[in-house]
Amino acid sequence: MTIGRVNPAYKLEDQGIEGLGNVYYNLIEPALVEEALKRNEGTLGKGGSFMCTTGKHTGRSPKDKFVVRTPSVEDSIWWENNTPMEPAAFDQLHADMLEHMKGKEYFVQDLFGGADPEHRLDVRVVTELAWHGLFIRHMLRRPARDELESFTADFTIINCPSFSADPAKHGCRSETVIALNFDKKLILIGGTAYAGENKKSVFTLLNYILPGKGVMAMHCSANHAPNNPVDTAVFFGLSGTGKTTLSADPNRVLIGDDEHGWSDRGTFNFEGGCYAKTINLSSEAEPEIYATTAKFGTVIENMKFDEETLDLDFEDDSLTANMRCAYPLDYISNASETALGGHPKNIIMLTCDAFGVLPPIARLTPAQAMYHFLSGFTSKVAGTERGVTEPEPTFSTCFGAPFMPRRPEVYGKLLQEKIAKHGATCWLVNTGWTGGAYGTGSRMPIKATRALLTAALDGSLNEVQFRKDPNFGFEVPVAVQGVADVLLDPRRTWTDKDAYDAQAQKLVAMFAQNFEQYVAYIDDDVKAAAIG
């Protein structure tokens, strides 16, 4: 039985997906919450939020992600970073998954990836879990009711957590699989209930398609000045660097918190919602994000709660430190209605330096910006993983290597060209440690980070005196109003200056070693800007 609003000429049967039970098309949030509760997929939380767990997978499974190796993409995929799957294996996986689905109920959401109609991707998401439909309805952009009458998908995602892949038959690694077939315009997800796989699959698609159209795809948040979209800033950063927190500035308009494009017309959000980490979230530090956890339809993922009062425990990470909430963008009061901005005036690259070496902010030349963009540095700290006893560098190129189907220099050169054309100012911001490495020093004060970012975005930081950093060669402000001068010179914050020098040289060497992989593909000015 077909339930809900759908293009009558574009049902699942028209895509060769047959023999299912009831199929629910484009249910809105209350109906999805109702269906999820009816199926015991989770618990109704305060304010009508939906609280659920994702089983053994509480994060993405990057080692189980595959790209089907076909002639059309053979020469354009970064195969060192994307594991290939043979077309025959994908076809067997597809056939077996469709057979597994027969007789079961499924939920379909027809959605847009991208706020700019010229560059958006029309995506059909077929999910086994009702709450997955709710999640992706938040995450992508929702068509108007009349648009559903003629909707057809550019790509389809089928997500079936109860399906277990067979490595021997399907050419994969385990019972979990995420397989992208660009020729068949199809993504298959099985063996994981972690909802983030849905949204990151769309991001991966856009990261492949958009650069071919001259559009820069970015793993970043973005905001703009009130009533002035021309004054746009983007914030690149890996998980835990403050991308969501720092872009959610109450004095600026939020374009989006995670994934954006930069076209000839400006910046546009890929998404219609936010997927925020909730560990240690507080009403004092992040009141608007905190408030979403008690709003109707917000998906609360892998959080412990009091079974009697339903109060969430923001500190209990016994399920995972990657606990999250997913909510529509309009739950943030200063969110942009259009999710569109101008060409970035400022580009912020966020890093969490647990070595305590990098300054809280530095101004980058365009060549230095490309160097740090390709490096994508942050760090793991002791205690976060078994066996980690001292800070470990993490270099994730373009600040999002797991989602980059093309080679890094493709994105790097696009960014370099757009910076040159539109004149953006680039900054490296360290939200990590000061006064010593992790275990000795302390976390960079958020108040200082916000003050420095405010000065960067309003232009006043460009007017202060700068010094050249002896280790990395970028420019560092000497004094900024509202920020302790000592904080701006990391070496001065260390009691043992020799220890700082040794730590700095160690980090410089790590950067240099990591960057060797790009030397054959980049311009001489970037090579020269690499270090010092």
Side-chain angles (χ1 to χ4, degrees), residues 359-360 434 467 476-477 484-494 500:
T434 183
R467 65 177 178 85
V476 182
D485 292 354
V486 66
L487 202 64
L488 297 169
D489 185 350
R491 190 173 189 272
R492 287 176 58 197
T493 67
W494 283 54
Y500 171 84

Side-chain angles (χ1 to χ4, degrees), residues 480-529:
V480 178
Q481 187 174 358
V483 179
D485 292 354
V486 66
L487 202 64
L488 297 169
D489 185 350
R491 190 173 189 272
R492 287 176 58 197
T493 67
W494 283 54
T495 303
D496 186 339
K497 304 299 189 287
D498 290 338
Y500 171 84
D501 292 338
Q503 188 83 318
Q505 288 309 304
K506 181 179 178 181
L507 185 58
V508 166
M510 290 175 179
F511 265 85
Q513 182 180 6
N514 172 72
F515 204 74
E516 282 296 319
Q517 63 187 302
Y518 307 120
V519 169
Y521 302 98
I522 59 171
D523 299 333
D524 289 340
D525 60 338
V526 179
K527 294 177 186 177

